[in-house]
């Protein structure tokens, strides 16, 4: 199963159910994506918690003053059946700059803004707005 699709589905479902937090099995890839989501204010915080021999990531969701989930939509772009790679000049803008794309580059998981600044291309993982 696609680990990022599972991450996005859990965040999306927890947001619709108005949960305060959601627990997700942890990995370095997921932690990188969640770190970018935190830096852009889509989630409050996250922590990696050891549960026995496994590590779980606890993601604290953020809600707007109106009570809506901060993540309106989260969309997986590159998937196991169809990988999508972009160059630094071809990174798409999400919702005319109101959203963010997350890329996997040779310097780690970074946002589209940082990738443009550093002139890096890579695998376009997802778009969030």
């Amino acid at each position: 199963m696609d680990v990022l699709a599972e991450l996005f589905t859990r965040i999306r479902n927890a947001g619709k159910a108005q949960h305060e937090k959601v627990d997700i099995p942890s990995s370095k890839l997921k932690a990188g994506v969640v770190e970018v989501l935190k830096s852009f204010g889509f989630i409050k915080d996250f922590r990696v918690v050891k549960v026995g021999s496994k590590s779980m990531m606890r993601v604290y969701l953020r809600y707007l003053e109106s009570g809506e989930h901060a993540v309106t939509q989260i969309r997986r772009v590159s998937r196991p059946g169809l990988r999508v790679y972009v160059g630094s000049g071809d990174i798409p803008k999400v919702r005319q700059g109101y959203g963010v794309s997350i890329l996997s580059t040779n310097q780690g998981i970074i946002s589209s803004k940082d990738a443009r600044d550093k002139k890096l291309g890579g695998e376009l993982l997802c778009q969030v707005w």
Side-chain angles (χ1 to χ4, degrees), residues 7-122:
L7 167 74
F8 300 149
T9 301
R10 286 186 187 220
I11 289 174
R12 196 179 308 118
N13 289 346
K16 285 182 181 179
Q18 298 288 315
H19 289 294
E20 178 186 345
K21 63 186 184 272
V22 61
D23 289 340
I24 303 164
S26 182
S27 73
K28 287 183 182 181
L29 177 65
K30 291 178 188 178
V33 170
V34 172
E35 181 67 41
V36 173
L37 291 176
K38 179 184 174 187
S39 68
F40 278 85
F42 288 108
I43 63 170
K44 280 185 192 175
D45 198 11
F46 76 98
R47 291 195 172 81
V48 177
V49 180
K50 294 279 186 184
V51 179
S53 63
K54 299 178 184 178
S55 62
M56 298 291 284
M57 186 176 356
R58 182 163 287 161
V59 177
Y60 296 92
L61 303 176
R62 181 175 167 263
Y63 295 95
L64 305 175
E65 290 178 10
S66 62
E68 295 179 33
H69 190 228
V71 176
T72 304
Q73 184 129 11
I74 188 164
R75 203 181 97 204
R76 179 87 157 107
V77 177
S78 184
R79 48 195 172 89
L82 179 64
R83 300 290 182 186
V84 177
Y85 296 94
V86 293
S88 62
D90 300 328
I91 299 171
K93 289 195 179 232
V94 180
R95 297 288 170 152
Q96 299 174 347
Y98 287 103
V100 63
S101 294
I102 300 176
L103 286 89
S104 175
T105 68
N106 60 354
Q107 294 185 6
I109 308 295
I110 60 174
S111 69
S112 54
K113 181 181 181 300
D114 293 339
R116 278 191 212 97
D117 292 344
K118 295 178 182 179
K119 298 188 185 207
L120 289 173

